[in-house]
């Protein structure tokens, strides 16, 4: 059983060369894993906030599919892999040892913060390419809405929703939109968050309101994950659109556009 | 037609070469620096297929005119070496395209536009290493479209014989694992704009590109390109139809 690792280097400036060790690929011969540097590497060291985000995005991808043989070409020209470093046999848990000792955190260093992709941003970009982002608002504030309920007591304690379209004026509908991106590394956390939000809205608003809780799933090839997400959401979402299915996407586009147009037509005019 | 309003290709006679660009499919491209300290990726004609510089130059002029995000371009004309190189302004930090991050892009419309231009210039070599992703803020990237060097538009006789054929979309299917019909509207929107490009402008682009790439002026190239531009929507429609059929 061959146990070893290769350091991954990041080169901020290809003209100057050099490399900053930022992670390693470690293997015990059967399993390969990514070991990230535990200490925080400052933005200025890497070349700015954008470089830090670039490193985070590549690390995210390598974590899902680590291969000791080499880096995928998608990582681009700033990343390189060092030589293979073998460690002697005899450890009970070699990968655990490597994880702890390749990049030990000293007392003076602060732990790394992780920058992650943003589900709201990818969702909004999808709506934009569908040509309907102009009808969608990104910030939903509960206090701004008259929910039109029979009970007049104030509605409090509602969590934020990612996007919304439409209004509750004059028979319109208000669409409360949550994107689901099945490629996100913390998909289960995202699904739980959305389901919890929807269930709180249903509980607080009951069925009196014309607000509709809508989940839209971004296009994917992963049918199994898509079906699992639909099943998870179907108890709490009023409506689920599938961005990757043409018919469903067209229905979503029409519904959001109609809600947005009616909202504009019935908006109060300020003279 | 006022020439100063039209894109032109800068010509350099001096560059300092640095290291090879460390990616596969780069065709021995090198990092280079000009006399003003600007940084470029240099592709030499002798290390590429015939017509590479002409293909890059003409595609670049079209992209510039149509506001598609592509790095600044220029040529290095080396009398000493008797050759010309295509220069693409270095963008950093960047990574290459990876499936699953389509909606991390802020400029998705440029991906649709790229497919339109690929169909017109007959670029059969679009793959993940020639779409760059540059981080702009946490969670988002912008895409830069690069590398038209293998497009058939660089070989005028071959290009003129294409008629209204579109390239085999095979390599694209590795590049994108998502429904292309999401991108088709932005591709068709550009195709509509492209159809109204003036024939005189097309002639100018061909003349400028041939001059910059030290290629023989070619009337047949102007005619063939003008014909394909005027039929852009049909070409894009066929291209997307092939993409859909091959999935």
């Amino acid at each position: 059983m061959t146990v070893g690792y290769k350091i991954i280097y990041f080169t901020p400036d290809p003209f100057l060369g050099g490399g900053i060790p930022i992670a390693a690929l470690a293997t015990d011969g059967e399993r390969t894993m990514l070991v990230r540097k535990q200490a925080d590497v400052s933005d200025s060291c890497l070349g700015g906030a954008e470089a830090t985000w670039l490193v985070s995005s590549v690390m995210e991808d390598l974590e899902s599919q680590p291969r000791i043989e080499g880096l995928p070409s998608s990582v681009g020209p700033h990343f390189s892999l060092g030589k293979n470093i073998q460690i002697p046999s005899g450890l009970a848990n070699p990968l655990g040892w490597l994880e702890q000792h390749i990049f030990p955190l000293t007392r003076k260093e602060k732990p790394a913060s992780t920058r992650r992709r943003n589900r709201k941003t990818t969702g909004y970009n999808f709506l934009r390419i569908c040509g309907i982002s102009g009808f969608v608002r990104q910030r939903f504030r509960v206090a701004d809405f008259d929910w039109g309920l029979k009970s007049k007591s104030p509605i409090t304690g509602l969590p934020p929703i990612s996007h919304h379209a439409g209004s509750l004026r004059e028979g319109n509908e208000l669409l409360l939109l949550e994107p689901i991106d099945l490629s996100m590394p913390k998909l289960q956390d995202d699904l739980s968050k959305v389901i919890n939000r929807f269930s709180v809205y249903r509980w607080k608003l009951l069925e009196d309101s014309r607000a509709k809780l809508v989940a839209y799933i971004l296009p994917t090839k992963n049918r199994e994950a898509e079906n699992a997400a639909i099943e998870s959401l179907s108890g709490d979402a009023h409506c689920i659109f599938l961005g990757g299915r043409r018919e469903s996407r067209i229905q979503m586009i029409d519904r959001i556009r109609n809600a947005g147009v009616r909202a504009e037509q019935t908006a109060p005019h300020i003279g | 037609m006022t020439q100063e309003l039209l894109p032109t290709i800068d010509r350099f006679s001096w560059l300092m070469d640095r290291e090879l660009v460390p990616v596969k499919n780069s065709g021995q491209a090198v990092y280079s620096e000009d006399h003003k300290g600007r940084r470029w990726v240099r592709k030499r004609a002798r290390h590429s297929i015939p017509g590479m510089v002409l293909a890059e130059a003409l595609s670049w002029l079209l992209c510039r005119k149509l506001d598609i995000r592509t790095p600044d371009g220029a040529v290095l004309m080396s009398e000493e070496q008797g050759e010309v190189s295509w220069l693409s302004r270095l963008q950093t930090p960047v990574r290459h395209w990876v499936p699953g991050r389509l909606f991390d892009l802020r400029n998705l419309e440029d991906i649709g536009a790229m497919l339109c231009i690929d169909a017109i210039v007959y670029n059969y070599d679009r793959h993940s290493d020639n779409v760059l992703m540059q981080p702009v803020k946490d969670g988002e990237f912008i895409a830069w479209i690069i590398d038209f060097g293998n497009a058939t538009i660089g070989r005028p006789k071959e290009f003129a014989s294409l008629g209204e054929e579109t390239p085999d979309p095979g390599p694209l299917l590795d590049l994108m694992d998502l429904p292309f019909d999401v991108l088709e509207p932005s591709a068709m929107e550009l195709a509509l704009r492209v159809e109204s490009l003036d024939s005189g402008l097309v002639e100018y682009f061909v003349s400028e590109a041939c001059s910059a790439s030290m290629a023989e002026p070619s009337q047949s190239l102007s005619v063939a390109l003008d014909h394909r531009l005027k039929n852009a929507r049909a070409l894009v429609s066929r291209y997307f139809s092939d993409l859909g059929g091959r999935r």
Side-chain angles (χ1 to χ4, degrees), chain B residues 44-244:
Chain B
R44 297 173 71 164
R46 70 173 60 166
H47 293 148
S48 310
I49 68 170
M52 178 276 292
V53 180
L54 175 57
E56 290 278 18
L58 197 35
S59 305
W60 182 84
L61 286 165
L62 284 171
C63 287
R64 267 294 186 268
K65 176 63 185 168
L66 299 164
D67 298 316
I68 298 168
R69 187 179 292 270
T70 190
D72 286 346
V75 293
L76 172 73
M77 294 169 135
S78 169
E79 276 185 34
E80 184 186 307
Q81 293 159 352
E83 66 159 341
V84 65
S85 302
W86 176 253
L87 307 175
S88 183
R89 192 75 182 269
L90 181 66
Q91 304 300 319
T92 57
V94 291
R95 60 177 301 180
H96 294 144
W97 174 269
V98 60
R101 288 192 179 269
L102 182 70
F103 301 109
D104 288 356
L105 289 176
R106 195 183 273 183
N107 60 328
L108 276 163
E109 314 73 37
D110 280 334
I111 302 296
M114 173 190 79
L115 296 176
C116 172
I117 297 295
D118 282 348
I120 291 167
V121 304
Y122 206 93
N123 184 15
Y124 54 84
D125 192 37
R126 180 64 61 196
H127 53 77
S128 51
D129 286 355
N130 51 36
V131 180
L132 300 180
M133 295 175 65
Q134 185 174 45
V136 287
K137 65 171 192 175
D138 287 357
E140 282 196 295
F141 290 87
I142 52 170
W144 291 90
I145 313 304
I146 63 169
D147 269 345
F148 290 91
N150 289 337
T152 305
I153 200 170
R155 301 182 291 284
K157 278 193 189 140
E158 207 179 317
F159 188 72
S161 70
L162 287 174
E164 290 178 26
E165 271 182 55
T166 48
D168 178 1
L172 263 181
L173 296 171
D174 298 325
L175 175 63
M176 292 184 195
D177 58 349
L178 295 163
F180 287 91
D181 52 354
V182 174
L183 298 169
E184 194 172 354
S186 54
M188 287 301 262
E189 199 179 303
L190 185 73
L192 183 60
R193 282 177 57 205
V194 153
E195 284 182 359
S196 63
L197 286 178
D198 185 76
S199 299
L201 180 65
V202 177
E203 245 184 78
Y204 161 74
F205 282 159
V206 172
S207 167
E208 170 67 0
C210 286
S211 166
S213 60
M214 290 167 43
E216 288 294 320
S218 173
Q219 183 62 20
S220 62
L221 179 56
S222 295
V223 168
L225 177 57
D226 194 52
H227 176 76
R228 289 176 76 84
L229 290 168
K230 297 284 182 291
N231 290 280
R233 278 179 292 172
L235 293 179
V236 168
S237 179
R238 180 170 310 132
Y239 196 41
F240 274 83
S241 174
D242 286 347
L243 279 165

Side-chain angles (χ1 to χ4, degrees), chain A:
Chain A
M1 190 168 69
T2 306
V3 186
Y5 65 97
K6 295 179 182 176
I7 304 278
I8 300 172
Y9 296 93
F10 176 74
T11 303
D13 186 345
F15 272 64
L16 300 177
I20 301 167
I22 50 164
L25 289 164
T27 185
D28 61 6
E30 288 175 4
R31 195 165 68 97
T32 300
M33 62 186 280
L34 181 78
V35 179
R36 295 203 202 198
K37 193 168 183 184
Q38 295 178 60
D40 196 27
V41 182
S42 69
D43 288 354
S44 58
C45 185
L46 292 177
E50 290 81 10
T52 304
W53 164 232
L54 179 76
V55 169
S56 286
S57 73
V58 167
M59 292 300 108
E60 207 172 89
D61 293 348
L62 291 178
E63 207 155 42
S64 63
Q65 289 189 321
R67 290 181 65 244
I68 194 79
E69 293 82 15
L71 298 174
S73 62
S74 61
V75 304
H78 295 277
F79 297 87
S80 58
L81 202 56
K83 61 182 195 297
N84 190 45
I85 302 168
Q86 287 193 346
I87 67 170
S89 58
L91 286 174
N93 180 9
L95 282 183
W97 186 89
L98 284 169
E99 199 173 14
Q100 210 178 344
H101 294 289
I102 294 178
F103 298 113
L105 184 68
T106 68
R107 278 198 312 184
K108 288 181 185 171
E109 291 171 309
K110 57 177 183 164
S113 57
T114 310
R115 297 183 189 213
R116 297 224 176 262
R117 295 164 68 197
N118 189 313
R119 176 178 61 88
K120 277 182 276 194
T121 304
T122 58
Y124 191 73
N125 284 340
F126 172 65
L127 297 178
R128 197 159 45 76
I129 198 67
C130 290
I132 48 172
S133 60
F135 300 110
V136 173
R137 301 289 173 264
Q138 292 210 61
R139 194 172 295 177
F140 178 68
R141 296 199 296 187
V142 174
D144 290 349
F145 281 84
D146 173 7
W147 293 99
L149 300 179
K150 297 190 185 82
S151 158
K152 292 299 175 192
S153 54
I155 302 293
T156 58
L158 286 173
I161 292 285
S162 292
H163 319 303
H164 67 282
S167 74
L168 289 173
R169 284 185 294 273
E170 298 179 36
N172 293 353
E173 71 171 351
L174 174 68
L175 303 175
L176 302 176
L177 304 160
E178 284 289 352
I180 301 294
D181 186 345
L182 298 174
S183 68
M184 287 286 176
K186 300 268 185 190
L187 171 62
Q188 290 312 314
D189 287 355
D190 287 344
L191 274 171
S192 298
K193 202 177 285 184
V194 170
I195 290 165
N196 287 341
R197 285 179 189 179
F198 281 0
S199 65
V200 168
Y201 271 77
R202 276 192 180 261
W203 176 58
K204 292 260 185 176
L205 299 177
L206 303 175
E207 296 301 327
D208 285 353
S209 171
R210 280 171 283 111
K212 295 296 173 212
L213 302 165
V214 177
Y216 61 99
I217 300 177
L218 268 57
T220 180
K221 249 184 162 181
N222 190 340
R223 289 285 166 253
E224 201 180 308
E226 191 179 61
N227 291 335
I230 293 168
E231 201 176 315
S232 300
L233 292 161
S234 54
D236 293 284
H238 290 117
C239 191
I240 302 170
F241 291 114
L242 305 179
R245 314 278 181 108
R246 188 181 165 85
E247 238 179 70
S248 180
R249 189 169 67 248
I250 290 172
Q251 285 170 2
M252 179 194 78
I253 290 168
D254 287 345
R255 188 130 177 217
I256 291 174
R257 181 180 291 126
N258 290 340
V261 166
R262 279 201 298 272
E264 280 169 15
Q265 287 169 345
T266 57
H269 295 284
I270 300 167

